[in-house]
Amino acid sequence: MAKKKIALIGGGQIGGVLAQLIGLRELADVILFYIVEDMPQGKTLDIAEASRIDGFDVKLKGTNEYKDIDNADVVIITAGLPRKPGMSRDDLLTTNAKIMKSVAEGVKEHAPNAIVIIISNPLDAMVTLFQKVTGFDHNKVIGQAGVLDSSRFSSFIAWELGVSVKDINAMVLGGHGDTMVPLVRYANVNGVPVMEQLERKYGDATKAKEVMDAMVTRTKKAGGEVVGLLKTGSAFYSPASAAVAMAEAILGDQKRVLPSCVYLNGEYGVDGYYVGVPAVLGENGCERVLEVTLNDEEQAAFDVSVNAVKNLVADMERLGF
Ligand code: TXD
């Protein structure tokens, strides 16, 4: 089987960890694109020079030219700036939309058959814009948020219950912002509801609910918690891991069910927007949306989140994108 190729657009914190993880897993050859001369070349050289030590055998190449992403099977985009002090949300939206537009034009021209995973913030808007500029099939343009948000939620549950995180299944739906919806009722430890385990632990339903509410709140604010500690940037190890899991599912045609920001055509009562829901990821990108039954409270929370996404997209359109 011919070696696969992943192109990374953006060579910052997440881009660097992505290149290293893809190398370590021998998932594909890597092209790291960034506009600043020599920087992507330096980063990929540094990672490649560890290949003897770590025992991986893929090609890693840095580039300043879009033509080098030719024939990429998967493109992962992290290009964009984080918000700086004094910058409004609209300022950030304008800055990153400009960057995303130029990236979309480059990818459209040089990797028109790729499946694209977008990480850049504001996520739901950037995914929408990329698809609009390229005209790529909706199933081939996917955003990363839910895999990470769900992993964060799962980690908090595992730490609380003192069990392996490998045995936790928990999912977060909705947009990538404060309105995201951690699905408490479906969260389980190898099939056993987490709420049941919490009630057994505390012997008290009210206390169990309080503990769960705190984990839900922490999940929603988890990105900010890391920013607050790092002070100079946002999370980068875990978003990279999340995108690699998605790329692995796509390249290996694994049909994994991963919460992803995908285009809805009426599913969950949403038509024509990118929103985080469980999706079957395989060689065609998002191959199917998995619907789950939501109760009234969950549906109401999901609707709030969908409205936040709609407002974000409307803001972007108002700004001329
Ligand atoms: O889960 C998620 N989706 C996220 C998203 C979790 C954490 C962070 N998330 C967002 O990812 C974050 O808010 C940023 O928008 C992106 C990338 O985060 P990272 O930490 O990697 O940011 P850096 O280190 O600032 O890197 C951004 C890169 C850097 O190489 C820039 O120079 C590059 O973007 N950049 C460009 N690349 C290509 N083309 C253009 N025009 C360009 N402009 C900037």
Side-chain angles (χ1 to χ4, degrees):
M1 196 175 67
K3 199 58 98 32
K4 302 284 188 179
K5 176 168 165 181
I6 299 181
L8 306 175
I9 313 292
Q13 300 274 60
I14 301 180
V17 179
L18 276 171
Q20 189 180 31
L21 285 178
I22 294 165
L24 287 172
R25 293 181 189 211
E26 295 190 311
L27 193 56
D29 288 337
V30 174
I31 289 286
L32 181 69
F33 170 92
Y34 179 45
I35 37 184
V36 171
E37 222 168 278
D38 291 341
M39 193 278 242
Q41 289 83 348
K43 210 165 240 194
T44 45
L45 181 63
D46 186 18
I47 295 168
E49 285 173 353
S51 62
R52 176 65 187 89
I53 306 163
D54 289 313
F56 62 83
D57 203 1
V58 298
K59 292 196 193 79
L60 292 130
K61 186 179 162 192
T63 183
N64 311 110
E65 293 184 66
Y66 270 110
K67 70 173 174 47
D68 289 327
I69 73 167
D70 272 19
N71 299 321
D73 299 284
V74 167
V75 173
I76 306 179
I77 301 173
T78 60
L81 302 183
R83 185 144 51 157
K84 303 220 170 63
M87 214 176 179
S88 73
R89 193 163 147 273
D90 276 4
D91 293 340
L92 182 74
L93 195 52
T94 305
T95 307
N96 283 358
K98 272 189 200 147
I99 293 173
M100 187 54 71
K101 198 159 175 275
S102 76
V103 169
E105 281 156 3
V107 174
K108 182 180 181 182
E109 186 177 347
H110 294 282
N113 298 315
I115 291 174
V116 181
I117 300 169
I118 293 164
I119 304 186
S120 316
N121 270 332
L123 196 262
D124 308 281
M126 292 302 109
V127 179
T128 305
L129 179 64
F130 181 93
Q131 193 284 326
K132 187 172 159 188
V133 173
T134 57
F136 283 9
D137 291 345
H138 286 108
N139 59 298
K140 293 172 72 180
V141 180
I142 309 168
Q144 188 305 114
V147 174
L148 170 57
D149 297 328
S150 302
S151 179
R152 284 169 167 161
F153 189 33
S154 300
S155 302
F156 303 148
I157 293 169
W159 299 336
E160 167 61 33
L161 292 177
V163 299
S164 167
V165 72
K166 291 182 187 173
D167 295 317
I168 308 292
N169 292 297
M171 222 163 32
V172 177
L173 309 187
H176 186 52
D178 300 345
T179 60
M180 68 177 78
V181 186
L183 279 189
V184 171
R185 199 164 51 94
Y186 287 109
N188 67 79
V189 189
N190 274 350
V192 180
V194 169
M195 284 314 297
E196 181 186 322
Q197 292 300 313
L198 286 175
E199 281 164 25
R200 283 178 192 278
K201 177 173 171 181
Y202 291 101
D204 172 358
T206 311
K207 174 68 184 163
K209 187 171 176 311
E210 265 171 40
V211 171
M212 176 51 88
D213 286 348
M215 290 195 288
V216 165
T217 303
R218 190 175 179 194
T219 301
K220 292 181 181 181
K221 299 185 171 184
E225 184 180 356
V226 174
V227 171
L229 292 165
L230 292 180
K231 304 204 170 58
T232 55
S234 48
F236 55 102
Y237 295 109
S238 55
S241 292
V244 167
M246 294 170 75
E248 207 160 24
I250 291 164
L251 290 175
D253 193 24
Q254 291 174 340
K255 319 288 187 201
R256 288 209 54 201
V257 179
L258 297 177
S260 309
C261 176
V262 296
Y263 191 74
L264 297 183
N265 267 313
E267 298 92 342
Y268 292 88
V270 179
D271 205 3
Y273 283 92
Y274 273 96
V275 179
V277 292
V280 178
L281 300 191
E283 62 184 350
N284 297 312
C286 170
E287 300 191 346
R288 195 155 49 92
V289 166
L290 224 72
E291 292 201 74
V292 298
T293 308
L294 301 179
N295 65 24
D296 289 350
E297 195 186 334
E298 291 156 352
Q299 186 67 51
F302 186 74
D303 291 345
V304 168
S305 197
V306 170
N307 277 333
V309 173
K310 288 181 177 172
N311 288 336
L312 183 66
V313 171
D315 282 352
M316 188 169 67
E317 284 169 358
R318 177 176 52 79
L319 292 166
F321 294 95

